[in-house]
Amino acid sequence: MSLTYSKVLSKTFFINFLFSFIPISFIAGNLLLNTNILLILLSSIIFYKQAVFKEKFSTIDKLVIIFFIYILCIGFYSSLVSYFTNNFDKDFTIVIKTLLYLRFLLLYFVLKYLIKNNIINFKVFFTTSALCSIFVCLDIFYQFVFGKDIFGYKAIPRRLSGPFGDELIAGGYLQRFSIFAFFFPLFFKFNNRKIISIIFSILFCIIFLSLIFAGNRIPLVLFLIMLVLIFLFEKKTRKYFLVFIVVSSSIFLTTYNFNNDIKNHFSYFKKHITKTIFPFTAENAISTEVAKNFTENAQFSYIVIFDGKSYRIKSSHLKDLLSGYRTWKLNKYIGDGIKSFQFNCPKVFPNCSTHPHNYYLEILSNLGIIGLLIFSSIILIILYNSLFIKYFRKSHLNDNHIITPFIFLFLVELFPLKTTGSFFSTQNATFILFLLSVIIALTQKKKLN
């Protein structure tokens, strides 16, 4: 269908352009991502005015509002206490971050309104996500072959960044957006199943190889887990599960055995997992005298007392988890507000990171038990209304393939046992609220386009 001048100037076209620009803005960086969010919010409010906020609030809507109000109250309370006691946050960092974080509450209601009123065209978004993912894959291949990508970013021995430059997050991007590449052909009427199978096979090989070359090991594992879950839950795909296992295993073993950098990178991953899961071994045990005189160093080596014995641990993930746990104990029930971890952690733990590298532990250390309970309730309700209702009960979601990738993305994004970036960072907060908004809106729609 050709685009006329009137269609280009229409509200719907402009909103869909901004919505479909989300995958591109994640590549471009936080500045463009924040600009895109701001434009979505402003244009939606200008175009549709009060209608955006006039819909009747559901239980999940009220919980989301309570969560943000709680963040706001704790942020102001902590900053006031800090100001009068001259304790921490002298520059009102927590209040500023809290107020800026409220834009995601607006984003939640705006996206919900746009989706429930059939303004968003998911066909465009899925296509854009697929094209962006393929672009990142091809750029990684180019970087792998020529030592630098098309923008001139040089490769490092074990990990490739593609178009992300110094940020080694190409694997994380593909894990989040490449899944839409497998679903966008469903928007087009292909009657030939062989062609669809060929397209899916080529896409999988390209994306899976790119994830291996990118070297982001957790995103690679999450990508495979997500596909496994889709194969198992979707009846039409179960017959291809064995083929998926054979193909993915063959690709990984081939690259593992014929490239030393990849082999060393993933071999270290195995050792690192063992070191993290089984840290209290005899080889790590040290005497009490050594423990007393021990000084933590830049290699994340530190002492942990377990079952009355001292152990020297070298695991950055365990260090981050322990720092989050100790920080949470400072204010167990309500926390000190978002971004307070960076102020509180140095009080109880040396060499702190900016966050504990786990969403739930970060919420716990920043917002306390109450904040975690509210957020966990939101997650459980969403999973019940989407995953459980779609696959275990007859409902209007049974034939809705649009919601499928969002459900499983949400499931792996908030998987509690994985290492993560900061929950309150621009990219992670945007992606989580984006998934949350889309899933809730689609589950509440009675009729689909």
Side-chain angles (χ1 to χ4, degrees), residues 136-137 140-141 158-160 169-176 178-179 182 203-224 226-227 251-252 255 262 265-266:
V136 171
C137 290
I140 289 173
F141 289 153
R158 291 191 300 118
R159 298 172 69 178
L160 302 179
I169 57 172
Y173 180 88
L174 290 175
Q175 181 257 309
R176 284 177 165 178
S178 65
I179 190 67
F182 297 102
L203 282 173
F204 174 75
C205 291
I206 292 173
I207 294 167
F208 188 52
L209 268 175
S210 300
L211 281 162
I212 294 173
F213 291 159
N216 301 112
R217 295 163 297 200
I218 295 298
L220 174 63
V221 173
L222 292 176
F223 173 77
L224 292 175
M226 185 164 51
L227 287 182
I251 292 173
F252 181 79
T255 54
I262 292 173
H265 188 56
F266 284 94

Side-chain angles (χ1 to χ4, degrees), residues 399-410:
D399 298 320
N400 180 10
H401 299 298
I402 293 175
I403 198 174
T404 303
F406 292 103
I407 291 174
F408 293 102
L409 273 173
F410 186 76

Side-chain angles (χ1 to χ4, degrees), residues 303-364:
I303 298 297
V304 170
I305 308 298
F306 178 75
D307 199 22
K309 297 180 180 179
S310 298
Y311 296 88
R312 182 176 179 177
I313 306 300
K314 287 186 176 181
S315 169
S316 59
H317 298 311
L318 282 178
K319 168 188 174 293
D320 292 329
L321 294 175
L322 184 60
S323 68
Y325 171 73
R326 288 184 181 176
T327 304
W328 163 65
K329 290 178 71 176
L330 290 175
N331 198 339
K332 293 182 179 180
Y333 300 104
I334 64 172
D336 284 309
I338 64 174
K339 300 293 184 180
S340 62
F341 177 85
Q342 58 189 325
F343 298 111
N344 288 331
C345 184
K347 298 177 183 178
V348 293
F349 201 89
N351 301 322
C352 290
S353 300
T354 55
H355 56 90
H357 291 82
N358 179 274
Y359 287 154
Y360 298 90
L361 199 53
E362 184 178 10
I363 293 172
L364 196 62

